[in-house]
Amino acid sequence: MNSWSIILLVPLILSVGVIPSLQSEITPSAEALKSKGTSLSETNSNKVCGDRLCSEISSEKKEMKKHTAMNAKKELFPATMDYTITGPEIDPEKGYAVIEIGDGLYWIADGMYQMMFLTTGEGVIVVDAPMGLGDKILQAINDVTTEPVTHLVYTHIHKDHIGSAHVFPDDIEIVSHIDTAEHLAMKNDPQRPVPTITFDEQYTLMVGDQVLELYYIGPFHSKGDIVVYSPAHKVAMAVDLFHPNAAPFQYFGIARDMGEHIAAHDKLLAMDWDVIISGHEPILGTPEHLKFNKEFTMQVLDNAFSAMQTTQPSANYFGDLADKCAELTVEQYPDLKDIEVSPVENCVTMVFYAMLD
Ligand SMILES: [Zn+2]
Ligand SMILES: [Zn+2]
């Protein structure tokens, strides 16, 4: 392990230890902060403001926001749990479904991609803007509200999940992790405007009568990956970590760091949510789905180790290991959706992790 890894790991280890008490310790919940009368800027003590990446909200507006958010009572609708089993009907004319899954919290699904938005009484907060949905995002929002979009949150850097960000007005606030903002500033992609508000560890976004808590729990998938959490609805959104009720996408969702990827499961499970928007699949996820994905992932790791014990060295040693690991995995999960799609690719990632990490 080089010194950079140590520098990166120490805060990670520290954060793993405190995740179960995330809300009460490092990052007090929005409720607790409000009851103490903490202002929005103090709430976001880890906010990082670069020259171009920071915007100010007037203190008068902050007070107003705090006041409205405090009076709001928001819940997840019980019927929403049905969507953790079967996905919604997608109108073929429209190409999407827009469903209020909790008070003012809407889920947009097209069968492949997922995103969400919240009406606040003072403007809409949108989370992600998948490239394939394009203008349909505005159409879906206009289907249910006349409020203008005022805020957009990026869950991570990837174009397929935020590549329609340019459909919104230029003057909206865009919130992301600092790593996402740095990446997008470098890319200079007109479809992915550079964020105006960034944070490092945690950020509380209060608009009108809605509160979203944004957490950085490590780069579990790409760069600047965050968890978007509505404590009132008990809804989390973490994109491209897993596919509920299905095998992982290729190379474990092109995970850059399998250690972070695996660890993120427990960090997310330590948070209090009932459904999760995973970014893909026709359904919403549950903690059970995420637990299953962790078990599946650890089983593939086991299979990689088993393959190492039974495979003879050859010119294509890693390929042979991945093939053996994939064979074991498919045998163990014959009924899992998409198990046959990329077992070898997933095992390639896992074999390298098992051997080298
Ligand atoms: Zn992604
Ligand atoms: Zn994705």
Side-chain angles (χ1 to χ4, degrees), residues 113 160-161 240 280:
Y113 279 83
D160 61 327
H161 286 276
D240 288 342
H280 290 283

Side-chain angles (χ1 to χ4, degrees), residues 112-113 156 158 160-161 221 239-240 243 249 278-280:
M112 285 270 288
Y113 279 83
H156 65 300
H158 282 161
D160 61 327
H161 286 276
H221 160 64
V239 168
D240 288 342
H243 285 227
F249 184 66
S278 67
H280 290 283

Side-chain angles (χ1 to χ4, degrees), residues 73-180:
K73 173 144 175 44
K74 305 285 181 187
E75 280 174 351
L76 188 71
F77 302 145
T80 295
M81 297 315 285
D82 295 349
Y83 296 118
T84 66
I85 299 160
T86 316
E89 290 267 338
I90 312 287
D91 178 345
E93 293 280 298
K94 287 188 161 181
Y96 64 85
V98 55
I99 295 157
E100 189 175 14
I101 61 171
D103 293 303
L105 195 166
Y106 295 82
W107 175 44
I108 302 180
D110 69 358
M112 285 270 288
Y113 279 83
Q114 307 181 345
M115 57 171 285
M116 71 174 181
F117 66 92
L118 298 97
T119 54
T120 72
E122 292 181 12
V124 173
I125 309 171
V126 180
V127 185
D128 277 358
M131 199 158 64
L133 280 166
D135 287 330
K136 289 176 191 163
I137 300 169
L138 292 175
Q139 200 185 320
I141 294 169
N142 291 335
D143 285 349
V144 298
T145 182
T146 54
E147 286 182 32
V149 173
T150 54
H151 292 75
L152 172 63
V153 178
Y154 291 155
T155 59
H156 65 300
I157 58 171
H158 282 161
K159 220 180 255 188
D160 61 327
H161 286 276
I162 63 169
S164 291
H166 64 292
V167 305
F168 301 112
D170 290 341
D171 60 350
I172 63 167
E173 297 287 1
I174 302 181
V175 189
S176 82
H177 187 260
I178 185 74
D179 292 349
T180 299

Side-chain angles (χ1 to χ4, degrees), residues 173-285:
E173 297 287 1
I174 302 181
V175 189
S176 82
H177 187 260
I178 185 74
D179 292 349
T180 299
E182 279 175 2
H183 183 83
L184 297 181
M186 178 183 78
K187 285 287 173 178
N188 194 23
D189 175 359
Q191 294 189 203
R192 291 177 289 172
V194 175
T196 55
I197 299 174
T198 65
F199 67 97
D200 190 7
E201 300 281 321
Q202 188 263 337
Y203 185 83
T204 302
L205 179 62
M206 281 187 244
V207 184
D209 60 4
Q210 300 279 10
V211 177
L212 285 180
E213 295 174 2
L214 314 182
Y215 294 105
Y216 183 66
I217 62 165
F220 56 78
H221 160 64
S222 63
K223 211 192 266 182
D225 306 315
I226 58 167
V227 179
V228 181
Y229 176 61
S230 169
H233 300 98
K234 294 194 180 181
V235 168
M237 180 162 171
V239 168
D240 288 342
L241 174 63
F242 80 116
H243 285 227
N245 247 0
F249 184 66
Q250 292 175 346
Y251 307 101
F252 281 91
I254 338 169
R256 291 184 178 208
D257 184 326
M258 274 310 282
E260 293 281 3
H261 181 83
I262 293 169
H265 288 74
D266 293 334
K267 294 178 199 172
L268 249 178
L269 286 167
M271 295 172 72
D272 184 17
W273 48 270
D274 293 325
V275 303
I276 188 163
I277 294 170
S278 67
H280 290 283
E281 296 301 314
I283 60 169
L284 292 166

